[in-house]
Structures are given as structure tokens and as C-alpha cells.
Amino acid sequence: MSAQLPVETINTGDELEFGTLDLNYDKMETSKKVVNQLENRLSVKDIMKIQKVFMQPNVEEFVPLNRKSFIDNMFTALGYDIEEEYGDLFDRIDVARDGFVDWNKVTTFMLLELYENEDRTKSSLVPQWKEIKFLPTHHKEPIQSIAYLKNSHRYLSLSKEGWMNVWGENLKLQQTLRVTTDSVRLRDLWVTSMVSLTNVNKVAVAFTSKEICFYDLNSKDEFFCQYKLHGIYNTLISMHYWFNADDGNQAVLTFGDVCGEVNAICFTTALISLFERPTNSTDEQEATVTITWQELFEGNHKCCFTLQHKGHNKEWVRQVSYCSNLEAFISCATSNLNTLVLGWKEKGTTPMKTTSFHVNEGVNAFDYHPGLNLIASAAVNHRVYLWNPYMSKPTGILRGHLASVIGVQFNSTRRQLFSFSKDKVLRIWDLQNQLCIQRLAGIFPKCLEFQTILYFNETNGQLFTTFNNQLTLLEMKQENSECVKSHEKSVTCVLYNSLFKQVISSDIGSTVIVWMIETGQKVKQFTGCHGNSEITTMALDASETKFFTASVDGTVKIWDFNGHCHHKLNAGRDQAADISQILILRRSILVLGWERIITVFRTDTLTEFVVQPSEWKGKAQHQNDILCAAFLPPQTLVTGSYDGEIVVWNNNSEKVSSRFHPCLKRALKSESDNQRHELEEPQALDNFSTVTNRYSLFNADNKDDEFNYIVSRLFFLEGRKNASSTGGANLIACGGCGIVRFWNTFKSLLLAEFEAHVNAASIIMTVDKKNDYLITGDMNGRIKVWNIQEYCLCSSDKVISEVPPMVVATQPHNDCISHLETCVQDGRLLILSASADCSIVLSDVTGSVIGVFGQDEHWRIGECSPPSVTKIPVKTLKFEKIMAQKHVSREEHLVVSKHSIPVAEEEIDHESRLNIWKSTILGNIFRENRIQKKPRPRLSAWGKLRSPIGTFSCLQMEDLEKITDIPKPDFLQNPNEYFDVNLEAADNEKLMFPTFSDICISLESG
């Protein structure tokens, strides 16, 4: 383990604390000791060594050991810790005090410890809540009950005056109904309680008119009253319904009244009929069946029977519930005696036998946990009591509330308890240690006198609280205990600083974190960098001593690594802007993403804190918003837009030199627009090369599919020095439909394209500095590494559709990949991937995950040799669309790393590919918003434009060949054969070279 470095947290804005944590120090220390016990520190290898301790040579069965032998053998096998710990472990395993332990006892003890540790971990997890929601209601009086309809996934809320609100699964108010009874006038109507009869799809509502109405939800009529039970002796104020999940005919309806009585109706044929129809009733199914309580009490209905007790001495029964595993009815009242009463269900015994618990000042509410066999009661004296149903005294008392506790609810999965008090404080308790692990206050409505209901839907993680006629919702955030989170919110960008060997990451919560790449340790954290606005992207300057952050508020900020903001660039001109990229050049800073024109800041204007953008000389040349850009020294700039068009600029003059589009129709339309604009403005002529004459094989002929050409990333292949001479690719583009395209910008040619991710709406990518590997990521969290060392090095006659060799395909994330980055550490090429699942993963090109930033255990990056390559037949791997490619036969082989993980996927009919703009709500809304934009002015005309290079742009330029020595002619090497001159005796230098006339005479004589 690496040393713990101090983490520096820098607040750049105000933050509100959502809750506080109450802890008992002694119990927390005990919990730490449990975690540090010997059995919790053992690894798998240690357990295998322990197994060998109980195995003797030439003996097939395990041999038991006494205490001394156990200590000696364990110390010899493991070789660490002290002997006292082994003795303590022996004593805890030998609970029967037999004096020996065997392998079965050890494994049983280990499994029990693991189960307890898992339960302890779940109970200690502090719930993370979304912001509180105030749901709009049509209630005018206090809400009396909330019910959840499991069959239709809807919520019902019923108020005192009889208004019922029906909520959909998305908590949108769908319908408002009026519950009435013909026994009283509307102005005298008073609803006291409501329960859902899930097994028969009905709702029971109690009124102060001493009657219960059963409404059929399957009826054709709106909220039809199927049964009416009247003639009840006292006014009902609480109800509860239970049914047997294995046998829906068995059900129990329990209700308590204002005179301390608890009554129960036990149904035996609930699925057939709740009550028997009278003999004189009509055959009309929609007629309301009226039943009197006296009929039920006397046993006139064979399909049900009644039970009752009067255990509360005429005190109001605040809450009732039937617990099937206890076969008992639990009820409570606000009295000193008989506060909590258990009535035991015994058919034929009237009244029921009861067991009472006494609490000073009484109890407002309770809840029962069947797994723990525990009753929690909300006491008026500010405490929460925990009861075992078979013990007369509480097993635990939870203290901490400063006002009367008015509601409690168990979270069975986590073994936690929610308690809500009169002063609007919600506490979450850990039942294992009986500690308060979270306190929520100051978020609920401000009102002096109020009536509250606490309702928790554990399946959906939704906690409802009512304040008179107001309804609030606290919803738990979805947590994945197996997923390590690097940020609290979705990560948007990740960068590598080679100067400091650090990783910089940002999230939608406007937080920037700095990590050590060598260990994964967090070293700095900047919060509130742009207030509450989301950080969309980041960039490093050339010196890597400053970094840039861009936000949806339309600003770009320049920071140093001490958290000081040097400049604020007003890219959006005081308006919100979705900035997708910051490109930092030598003399300018380009900001892109939300409009058709490039926003530029000159570096010589960075003299004030707030900097306004300069004018881009090239004006708007794209038909749609610019999403990305790439730069190739010394002066080539390319930009890609939302509609798939790529424009090549001269960065010095800021003028367009060429443009191309993979779609034939779009290219022709663009060219016709240029010619028409030329006639309108002939003076707007610039150097411009013609559009490419080669187009994509993945053409989207449908007008609705025009956005499938989105260019999300552009990268120049700077490592390919001879791309201009060989005609190979020097630019990679990716985006819509998961397609990657290779271009030659010198000739404006599309050289190759392939579908990297099948049926992907959009992908992103990055390339290592040597241009050996291409890394792509999609919206499902999958990453693929491609070997492009030998891909598209030369020009070809047609567009290449073959895929480059895939090194590996992995899925390190379970949500959208938001950013990819490569770095070299200790001679090893590494991949940084950021995702919307709040994690940043460090892996290598073989797919091996080194770690997740934010994990507890730090790592050490060691030396790694390049992955060896092996050949795997294509027919053994179902690599998405590789088998469907025209240029790859079944007998051919793909080069795949032997460390790679083959992704076996079913072959997909690409003709039935989902249209993302039609099949998703987000796609439809986004497309409609783009269509409804105001008409944009026509582009400037290009006309008959010349090439930016000049007259000789059509010539093929190559490197000059190396000059070699020119061989001397034969007449210089053998002059005696051609001339009658004795060179050795000649002193005159002119005799060395004969005249032209002498040569001619010599040739004629020869």
C-alpha cells in the first residue's frame, strides 16, 4: 500500500451541507476492531494454506486440531500476526468448547462471518438522496392516506374532503377523482383512511360515517363502489390490509377506531368474492352490495369471519397492522398504559388474547421488520423504541430527536430505520449498531401546525412525506456497490499532464479533481469552478502549467494548479453555450460547439480578467453547429460539424481552403449553394478546392437520417510524415452510427471507412501520439482498440471498407463513454476513459484494467512488454460486422492480441437498424428543436475558386532523390584510344580536353 497523501480540497463557490452524521465513538471503535480481526484480513491464498493445515500426509480426511496445534500450525502456515490472535480465533470458532476444531467448523465460521460483514456493510451505507421534490396536488384538506398500486405502478393520495389524486409511475399527476358516499352530504364528508387491496385490485376507504366503501378499479364505471360495509359501532381512523402472496384467497383487513377497539375481517375466498351477495339482490353486476357489520359479526358470511379486541382502554387507535409470521395484530395509542398491543390471531377466540407494552406518554406510530422480528415505535417522548414481540422490555432505545417522533419506517434491505419528528427532522438509523448515520433537516416545508404521513416505497427507493395538503418526495440515488466512483457526478472530461504526471478530470457538478497517475491517489480537488453549471470539456496549454475549463454557462476559465483563476473568456457573449471543445494554438484559443462560426480569442488580448472574443476572419462557413476541430502544424486547421461536413482552413489567413462531406447528396447541395452564392456575391472569392468525388458506402438517403453523419472527433495523424507523397490518410473522423472515416486532406479524398461499433448512435475516439493505435468508445461503455500502423498508408482506387486489426474489445464502464485519452507511463501505453457512470478507468491497450481512480487500494504501474500477436480465424469470432464486410472472407484471419477478450455478439440485420432520431424521446425533441431554429443567412459564395497552393497544385510533390557520383565517359578514362596525344609529356592543361573540331575529325577517320 502506498502512503496516504493529503488531499487538498479547494472551494471555489458556496456549498450547502445536506445532512449531518451522528456517531457513537465507542461503538464505532468496536466496529473498527471487528473489521481488523484476523479472519477479515485473510486472502484466498491464506485460506488455501489453512486448508492444508488440517490435511495430514497419507490421510484422505481432514484431521481435527486442538488449541495448541492449531496455533502452531497456523503460525507456521501463514507466517504473520501474533500467536494470541490465532488463539482468539480458535476460541471464537470453538463455540461449543469441545477443545478442538476441524475444517468444517472453520469454513462454517468463515461463511457466517462473511454474511455478517455483508449485512454490516449494507447497514453502514449512508443513503444518497436526490433533491427534495414538491409534488403539485389538488388537495385542499390534509392528506389522510397514500397507497401504491403494484399492478399498475401508480400512487393514490386521498385527502380529508374526499379528493383522490392518481399519480403515474413517473410521479406525474394523471387524474383527480372525488370519493363520495350517499350516507352524508359532500360538505359533511370526512375521509379517515384508505388501503389498497392489491390481490383483488380494489381500494377500501373509511369515512367518519362509520362505514367502509370498497371501490373496484377494474370497473367500467369511474371508481365504482362495489361493496359498502356500514353499521360499524365506532368511527374508524386507521386501516391495514394484508394478503397471502402464495394464496390470494387469504387476506385480512384490520381497522382501529376512536374507542380503543381493533377489529379484523379475515377473508377466505378473496379472489372469488369478498362478501356474499344477498339473496334478494339483482343480477346487475354494477349494483353496490350493502353489508352490515352485524351480519359479519354474527358469521352470516361464509367467505369471511371477524376478530376483535379492546386492548387500548377507549384510547384512539393511531395505527394497526397484521403480521403474518407472528399471526398477530399490532396496534398503538397515545396512552401511558397499553401503548403497544399485540392481539394473537386464534379463530373462534373472542376477544383475542393480547400482549401489552407500556411507554410513557404513548406512541404515535410503529413499523415491523419481519426479518429481524423487530417492532419500532415512534414515541411522544422524543425516542424510538425497539421491541422484540416476545419480550416485555425494549431491546433498544434510539435517542437523538428533540421533538415528538411521529413516524417510523424500516428499510429492510439495508437494515436501517427512518424516523421523523415533529420539528421536521428525518433521521436514518443503523440497526446493527443502533446509531444515527444521517440527519436531514431544513429541507421540508415551513409550517407550524401540520398533519404528517410517512410512506416509504422500498422497491423504488421513494420516501413520501405529507404536510397537511402538501406532498413531498425524497428519492434515493441509484447506487452500485460494486462500482467505484471517481466523482460524485458524471465525469465529462479527463486529461493527462505529462509534466506533473497527473490526471485531471471534471464532472457535471462543476468539480475538477487532480490524481496521481502512478498510484491513483487524489491530490487536489476544486469545487464550484463554474458555480452550479456543468463543466463540458477541458484543455491544457502548451506548457502544461495551466488548464482550461468550459461550462454550459458560456464561459471558459484559465486556471493554474493552485486553484487560481487567471482569466475568464466570455465565449457565449453573456449567454449559455454548449461548448464541446477548446483548441489551444500558438497565437489563439478556439472555442467550438454551439454555433456555425469559430469563436476565437487572441493570446495577446489576455490582459484583463474578463476577455471578449475576437472576430474570426473566415466568418460562418458551416451549414450547422461546429462540434470539433484538429490542427496540423504549421497552418492547417480542420473543423467538423453536426451535419457531417468537414472544412479545411488556413489558420494564418483564417480562410477556407477546401471542404468535403461523406454524403453525395450533401456534397452536391453544398457545391450548388456555393455556385449560387458566387453569383450573388462575386467579390467573395477565396482559394478553394473542389469537393471530393468519393463518398461513403453508408449513405443515409432518408432526410431524417441526415444527422447520422455527426462528426464528434477529429484527429490528425501527425506521425505519418509521408502522407502527402504516398496519398495515404492523414485525418481520422468519427461520430454518427459508430463509423470511423480516414481522409486525405491534401486531395480531399475519403480513403476508408468502417463501422467500429454496430448500431451505436454516436462514438468518440482518440489516437496515441505515434499513431499506432486508435481507441473508440460508445454510449454503452464499451471500448475498442484498433491497430492502424499499416492501415491506409497509401492511396487506393476506391473507398476501403476493411476493418483494421482489432487488438481488444472491453467494457470497463456501464454507461456512456464521455472522453478518452492516452498517455505513456514507464514505457507503457495507457488509456484513460471517463464515463457518465462517475468513474475514470486506467487500462492498457491489451484491455487489462490497472485500476479505477478513487478506489481504496492504490496501484503501482510496472513495466509491460508490447502485446504479442496471434491469428484467430474470423469464423470463430463474431466480431459485430466483420463477417459482413465485402473485403473479408471466411478464410481470412484478423490480427488480435492474445490478451484480448473476444466480444461475441449476434449478427444484426442492419436494414432494421433503429433510427435514433425517431425511436427515442430525446432524439425527437432535439431534432424538433433544431428544425424550429430561426432560418440562418446563406453562406458566402465561393464561386470558381483557385487552389490555395497556386498554379502547381495539381503536380505531385515528392522528395528529391539523393545525388550520386556521375561515371566518367570512356574517352576520359582511355584517352589514348581516341586521341594521338601523349598526356604524360604534355604540360599544357588545354591538351587534356580536345577541341570540338578535333573530336569530329577523329570520329570521321574512325
Side-chain angles (χ1 to χ4, degrees):
M1 294 292 291
S2 60
Q4 295 290 331
L5 298 177
V7 178
E8 180 180 356
T9 302
I10 301 174
N11 286 324
T12 57
D14 297 333
E15 290 186 327
L16 296 177
E17 186 175 340
F18 191 70
T20 59
L21 185 65
D22 297 338
L23 297 176
N24 185 300
Y25 180 77
D26 295 335
K27 292 183 179 180
M28 290 301 294
E29 287 297 317
T30 303
S31 178
K32 290 181 181 179
K33 291 179 181 178
V34 171
V35 174
N36 292 326
Q37 288 176 348
L38 175 61
E39 62 271 17
N40 295 323
R41 302 197 305 269
L42 297 176
S43 64
V44 177
K45 293 182 179 179
D46 293 335
I47 295 176
M48 294 175 66
K49 293 178 181 178
I50 296 174
Q51 184 183 18
K52 294 180 180 179
V53 169
F54 294 90
M55 298 176 64
Q56 298 296 333
N58 303 324
V59 179
E60 296 181 357
E61 298 181 354
F62 293 104
V63 178
L65 300 175
N66 57 26
R67 193 175 192 276
K68 185 177 184 307
S69 299
F70 179 84
I71 295 174
D72 294 340
N73 291 339
M74 287 284 288
F75 185 79
T76 303
L78 299 181
Y80 60 85
D81 291 318
I82 55 178
E83 295 184 358
E84 286 77 1
E85 285 193 271
Y86 297 116
D88 179 66
L89 178 62
F90 180 91
D91 295 337
R92 284 184 287 115
I93 296 176
D94 185 22
V95 291
R97 296 296 182 265
D98 296 328
F100 67 89
V101 296
D102 55 16
W103 176 243
N104 290 332
K105 286 185 178 182
V106 173
T107 54
T108 303
F109 173 79
M110 293 289 186
L111 288 175
L112 291 175
E113 283 293 312
L114 289 174
Y115 285 129
E116 290 183 6
N117 289 341
E118 184 180 4
D119 293 338
R120 191 181 299 113
T121 302
K122 288 182 179 179
S123 63
S124 62
L125 289 176
V126 179
Q128 300 297 318
W129 304 93
K130 299 180 181 179
E131 292 186 4
I132 189 171
K133 293 182 180 179
F134 294 84
L135 304 180
T137 67
H138 290 169
H139 298 299
K140 298 179 181 178
E141 295 288 339
I143 299 174
Q144 302 287 69
S145 296
I146 298 175
Y148 179 64
L149 307 179
K150 293 182 179 179
N151 298 333
S152 58
H153 304 286
R154 293 185 298 173
Y155 289 96
L156 303 178
S157 61
L158 184 62
S159 56
K160 173 182 172 182
E161 78 279 12
W163 284 111
M164 176 181 288
N165 289 347
V166 182
W167 309 82
E169 189 175 10
N170 56 356
L171 295 177
K172 299 294 183 182
L173 187 60
Q174 295 180 341
Q175 195 177 10
T176 300
L177 305 172
R178 187 66 185 266
V179 178
T180 60
T181 176
D182 53 7
S183 303
V184 296
R185 293 175 295 181
L186 284 178
R187 66 180 182 181
D188 298 328
L189 185 72
W190 190 327
V191 175
T192 58
S193 184
M194 173 188 65
V195 290
S196 170
L197 285 61
T198 306
N199 60 326
V200 293
N201 207 23
K202 292 178 176 59
V203 172
V205 179
F207 301 90
T208 53
S209 53
K210 302 178 183 179
E211 59 185 354
I212 302 175
C213 293
F214 297 83
Y215 297 91
D216 188 8
L217 300 179
N218 294 329
S219 174
K220 296 180 181 178
D221 295 341
E222 188 177 84
F223 221 63
F224 169 71
C225 180
Q226 188 177 11
Y227 302 102
K228 179 191 288 187
L229 175 61
H230 67 99
I232 302 174
Y233 300 147
N234 303 304
T235 302
L236 311 182
I237 58 173
S238 58
M239 286 198 303
H240 178 263
Y241 182 78
W242 169 90
F243 71 94
N244 190 341
D246 298 326
D247 183 6
N249 285 313
Q250 299 180 8
V252 177
L253 176 64
T254 314
F255 52 89
D257 58 33
V258 296
C259 293
E261 291 188 11
V262 174
N263 295 277
I265 305 175
C266 303
F267 300 99
T268 56
T269 59
L271 297 179
I272 301 173
S273 177
L274 293 178
F275 305 100
E276 295 180 1
R277 299 178 66 87
T279 56
N280 57 354
S281 64
T282 62
D283 294 335
E284 296 180 3
Q285 295 294 328
E286 298 300 326
T288 301
V289 178
T290 303
I291 307 103
T292 63
W293 175 251
Q294 189 65 28
E295 295 175 8
L296 298 180
F297 187 75
E298 294 176 354
N300 295 334
H301 289 254
K302 298 180 180 180
C303 55
C304 61
F305 61 92
T306 62
L307 297 172
Q308 68 175 175
H309 73 78
K310 302 179 181 179
H312 289 286
N313 299 329
K314 297 185 179 182
E315 294 288 339
W316 285 25
V317 181
R318 300 290 178 175
Q319 184 180 345
V320 293
S321 178
Y322 174 69
C323 302
S324 57
N325 61 328
L326 293 177
E327 291 191 345
F329 300 89
I330 307 177
S331 55
C332 68
T334 52
S335 59
N336 294 331
L337 298 177
N338 300 332
T339 308
L340 203 64
V341 176
L342 272 69
W344 305 99
K345 179 185 176 183
E346 297 178 6
K347 187 176 181 180
T349 303
T350 304
M352 291 184 284
K353 294 181 180 180
T354 60
T355 301
S356 299
F357 302 95
H358 311 294
V359 178
N360 187 28
E361 298 183 37
V363 167
N364 288 310
F366 66 88
D367 195 18
Y368 176 69
H369 193 302
L372 299 176
N373 195 25
L374 205 62
I375 302 173
S377 59
V380 179
N381 61 6
H382 310 175
R383 300 174 183 176
V384 177
Y385 292 88
L386 302 178
W387 307 85
N388 186 309
Y390 303 104
M391 299 178 64
S392 59
K393 293 185 179 180
T395 58
I397 301 177
L398 306 180
R399 296 178 175 87
H401 282 287
L402 302 178
S404 173
V405 185
I406 55 180
V408 286
Q409 286 277 293
F410 278 109
N411 186 347
S412 302
T413 305
R414 297 191 177 189
R415 297 193 175 189
Q416 295 174 349
L417 178 70
F418 302 152
S419 61
F420 190 73
S421 57
K422 196 69 176 177
D423 56 355
K424 305 187 196 68
V425 175
L426 178 68
R427 286 179 177 267
I428 293 91
W429 305 85
D430 171 19
L431 296 176
Q432 180 80 18
N433 300 309
Q434 297 185 10
L435 299 174
C436 178
I437 59 175
Q438 192 176 37
R439 175 182 178 272
L440 279 69
I443 61 175
F444 299 103
K446 296 180 179 180
C447 48
L448 297 177
E449 296 295 330
F450 60 93
Q451 180 179 332
T452 295
I453 295 174
L454 195 67
Y455 180 83
F456 179 58
N457 187 333
E458 186 170 341
T459 305
N460 298 338
Q462 296 170 331
L463 180 64
F464 295 88
T465 51
T466 65
F467 299 87
N468 295 332
N469 63 337
Q470 290 182 292
L471 181 61
T472 64
L473 169 66
L474 275 173
E475 190 171 5
M476 283 186 177
K477 295 180 180 179
Q478 296 295 329
E479 295 182 356
N480 186 0
S481 58
E482 297 180 358
C483 179
V484 179
K485 290 187 177 181
S486 309
H487 283 249
E488 290 296 327
K489 298 184 178 181
S490 298
V491 186
T492 56
C493 187
V494 60
L495 303 174
Y496 175 65
N497 189 321
S498 59
L499 179 64
F500 301 133
K501 293 185 178 181
Q502 294 177 342
V503 174
I504 307 104
S505 58
S506 63
D507 62 22
I508 63 174
S510 199
T511 299
V512 175
I513 300 179
V514 182
W515 315 82
M516 295 295 294
I517 185 115
E518 294 180 346
T519 61
Q521 172 69 36
K522 182 196 293 187
V523 291
K524 286 187 179 181
Q525 177 172 322
F526 309 101
T527 59
C529 294
H530 290 262
N532 295 325
S533 299
E534 170 187 347
I535 296 178
T536 57
T537 187
M538 296 191 299
L540 284 169
D541 67 347
S543 64
E544 298 188 358
T545 58
K546 295 179 182 177
F547 65 95
F548 295 63
T549 59
S551 172
V552 293
D553 61 5
T555 63
V556 175
K557 293 185 178 180
I558 306 176
W559 307 80
D560 59 26
F561 284 89
N562 291 322
H564 175 67
C565 181
H566 293 266
H567 301 284
K568 178 179 177 181
L569 312 184
N570 187 16
R573 297 175 175 84
D574 299 325
Q575 294 183 357
D578 189 8
I579 301 173
S580 59
Q581 185 177 354
I582 308 169
L583 187 61
I584 303 173
L585 304 179
R586 185 176 180 181
R587 297 186 180 88
S588 60
I589 302 167
L590 309 183
V591 185
L592 318 164
W594 73 101
E595 58 183 0
R596 297 180 301 128
I597 192 171
I598 298 174
T599 303
V600 59
F601 295 87
R602 315 293 178 188
T603 54
D604 54 7
T605 62
L606 300 180
T607 56
E608 302 292 335
F609 177 74
V610 179
V611 183
Q612 301 299 329
S614 304
E615 181 184 3
W616 179 257
K617 300 175 184 177
K619 306 297 181 182
Q621 299 293 342
H622 279 276
Q623 302 278 358
N624 219 304
D625 295 345
I626 304 173
L627 297 182
C628 57
F631 181 74
L632 179 66
Q635 61 186 21
T636 304
L637 172 71
V638 294
T639 53
S641 64
Y642 191 84
D643 59 359
E645 186 179 35
I646 298 176
V647 176
V648 183
W649 306 76
N650 184 313
N651 186 57
N652 290 338
S653 62
E654 298 182 359
K655 301 297 181 180
V656 174
S657 59
S658 64
R659 66 179 67 225
F660 35 87
H661 195 287
C663 177
L664 174 60
K665 292 184 178 180
R666 292 301 305 273
L668 294 176
K669 182 179 182 297
S670 178
E671 191 171 5
S672 62
D673 291 343
N674 299 337
Q675 294 176 355
R676 182 170 61 253
H677 203 8
E678 174 197 347
L679 297 176
E680 296 174 1
E681 299 181 18
Q683 70 277 10
L685 299 179
D686 291 314
N687 292 332
F688 174 73
S689 63
T690 58
V691 183
T692 176
N693 57 358
R694 301 215 305 217
Y695 306 100
S696 170
L697 300 176
F698 298 92
N699 280 335
D701 297 330
N702 191 341
K703 183 179 179 180
D704 295 334
D705 296 336
E706 61 181 356
F707 299 113
N708 289 339
Y709 294 104
I710 296 173
V711 181
S712 61
R713 294 290 190 276
L714 286 169
F715 280 97
F716 271 112
L717 299 175
E718 298 184 41
R720 299 186 177 184
K721 303 296 184 182
N722 300 325
S724 60
S725 60
T726 61
N730 69 331
L731 177 70
I732 307 180
C734 77
C737 294
I739 298 173
V740 177
R741 294 183 173 91
F742 286 71
W743 297 86
N744 184 298
T745 57
F746 299 103
K747 299 181 180 180
S748 301
L749 283 180
L750 175 63
L751 298 183
E753 64 177 359
F754 65 94
E755 195 169 10
H757 295 256
V758 176
N759 281 350
S762 182
I763 63 173
I764 62 172
M765 68 174 180
T766 190
V767 183
D768 69 307
K769 291 185 178 181
K770 293 183 178 180
N771 303 152
D772 293 336
Y773 296 100
L774 166 69
I775 300 99
T776 58
D778 62 19
M779 301 183 71
N780 295 321
R782 290 179 294 186
I783 292 177
K784 296 183 180 182
V785 181
W786 310 85
N787 189 330
I788 58 171
Q789 296 181 40
E790 305 295 330
Y791 193 72
C792 280
L793 294 179
C794 302
S795 179
S796 60
D797 297 334
K798 58 182 179 180
V799 178
I800 300 173
S801 60
E802 294 180 1
V803 298
M806 184 166 65
V807 179
V808 71
T810 60
Q811 187 169 357
H813 301 278
N814 53 25
D815 207 339
C816 174
I817 304 292
S818 57
H819 202 273
L820 292 169
E821 187 86 358
T822 63
C823 63
V824 177
Q825 185 71 16
D826 296 333
R828 184 179 181 183
L829 180 61
L830 304 177
I831 301 172
L832 291 162
S833 58
S835 171
D837 64 3
C838 308
S839 67
I840 306 165
V841 176
L842 179 66
S843 58
D844 60 16
V845 291
T846 66
S848 301
V849 175
I850 297 174
V852 181
F853 289 92
Q855 69 184 35
D856 294 335
E857 185 177 358
H858 301 158
W859 59 75
R860 287 290 181 183
I861 301 176
E863 296 291 338
C864 179
S865 59
S868 58
V869 175
T870 182
K871 290 186 176 181
I872 301 177
V874 173
K875 60 183 179 182
T876 63
L877 301 177
K878 295 182 179 179
F879 277 124
E880 298 181 346
K881 204 180 177 184
I882 294 178
M883 295 179 62
Q885 297 295 337
K886 297 180 180 180
H887 298 279
V888 181
S889 64
R890 294 186 178 181
E891 292 77 15
E892 292 175 339
H893 294 76
L894 291 178
V895 180
V896 183
S897 167
K898 72 176 184 180
H899 302 291
S900 65
I901 304 172
V903 180
E905 298 182 359
E906 296 181 0
E907 294 186 21
I908 299 173
D909 181 11
H910 300 286
E911 294 181 358
S912 61
R913 177 185 297 162
L914 297 177
N915 189 329
I916 195 67
W917 305 107
K918 290 183 178 180
S919 60
T920 62
I921 298 175
L922 179 61
N924 288 325
I925 295 175
F926 191 64
R927 184 172 173 274
E928 290 176 3
N929 292 339
R930 299 190 70 83
I931 293 174
Q932 294 175 2
K933 279 188 175 182
K934 296 181 180 180
R936 292 169 174 167
R938 293 190 178 274
L939 303 177
S940 302
W942 299 314
K944 299 177 181 178
L945 305 175
R946 300 187 301 274
S947 168
I949 303 177
T951 308
F952 304 101
S953 60
C954 296
L955 296 179
Q956 184 176 0
M957 297 183 181
E958 299 179 356
D959 296 336
L960 295 176
E961 297 181 0
K962 186 177 180 180
I963 300 176
T964 58
D965 295 335
I966 302 175
K968 296 181 179 180
D970 187 63
F971 67 87
L972 290 179
Q973 295 180 2
N974 303 302
N976 297 329
E977 297 180 3
Y978 298 89
F979 313 107
D980 296 329
V981 180
N982 188 0
L983 297 179
E984 295 179 358
D987 295 331
N988 191 358
E989 186 179 357
K990 294 181 179 181
L991 296 178
M992 290 287 295
F993 301 96
T995 62
F996 180 74
S997 59
D998 294 337
I999 294 175
C1000 293
I1001 295 172
S1002 177
L1003 292 174
E1004 289 177 358
S1005 62

